[in-house]
Amino acid sequence: MMVAGFAFSVGLRTPEMLSSGIAASMAPIGYIGIFYGAVFLLSAVAVLALQQLSGAEDARRAYRALMQLGCEHADMRRSLRSQVRLYFVAPLVGALIHDVFGLFLVGFLTFALGVQGFFAIVGGVLTFVVVLMGVYGLLTARAVERTVLKA
């Protein structure tokens, strides 16, 4: 949605598109795509983070038992980080695979309309999504560690 949004709002800013009025007619569709795509993305990462944080409280008892059995603190930290990484990477990979098919349609429409900079838009949006998921995953992993491994 965000790629389509940027393509139909920013990518149509050529002088020909502006003078013909196509850019003005497609801009509202573009901004709606950007807004809904960003809201959905932020909601998805927030749900993933909240799910991990709510499960952390339940996992505290299990990790206390591991501590009593002599498990190393570093091993438990790696285990928690791996769990959080899996919960953030698996949906990201699935979404990227799904996006490949959506990008074919959006790419066809943008090339048919003469959008400029389609590949730069795709690269920018994908970079933003991966960085956002990474930052949320890192912050979630640290919060889960503090919750589960606190003394």
Side-chain angles (χ1 to χ4, degrees):
M1 289 178 86
M2 290 173 33
V3 169
F6 279 111
F8 294 139
S9 60
V10 177
L12 292 175
R13 298 291 179 211
T14 62
E16 301 85 33
M17 295 294 173
L18 290 171
S19 65
S20 68
I22 293 175
S25 64
M26 296 298 283
I29 296 170
Y31 292 124
I32 289 170
I34 295 168
F35 174 77
Y36 282 122
V39 167
F40 176 76
L41 181 63
L42 291 173
S43 300
V45 292
V47 167
L48 288 171
L50 289 173
Q51 187 273 334
Q52 286 298 296
L53 290 170
S54 66
E57 192 63 38
D58 297 333
R60 190 183 322 179
R61 286 188 300 264
Y63 279 88
R64 275 196 199 133
L66 288 173
M67 281 184 218
Q68 292 170 351
L69 292 172
C71 187
E72 295 290 325
H73 191 75
D75 291 335
M76 291 187 291
R77 175 175 282 150
R78 273 194 304 274
S79 172
L80 286 170
R81 287 181 181 172
S82 295
Q83 175 186 329
V84 172
R85 189 178 313 118
L86 176 67
Y87 273 85
F88 277 84
V89 170
L92 178 62
V93 169
L96 292 175
I97 291 169
H98 175 77
D99 285 348
V100 168
F101 298 102
L103 288 175
F104 280 125
L105 174 63
V106 172
F108 174 75
L109 292 173
T110 57
F111 288 124
L113 290 172
V115 169
Q116 301 294 316
F118 176 72
F119 294 110
I121 292 169
V122 170
V125 169
L126 290 179
T127 300
F128 171 74
V129 169
V130 170
V131 167
L132 181 71
M133 291 286 285
V135 168
Y136 252 89
L138 181 63
L139 293 174
T140 302
R142 289 188 178 170
V144 167
E145 285 177 28
R146 280 194 309 269
T147 301
V148 173
L149 300 178
K150 68 181 176 184

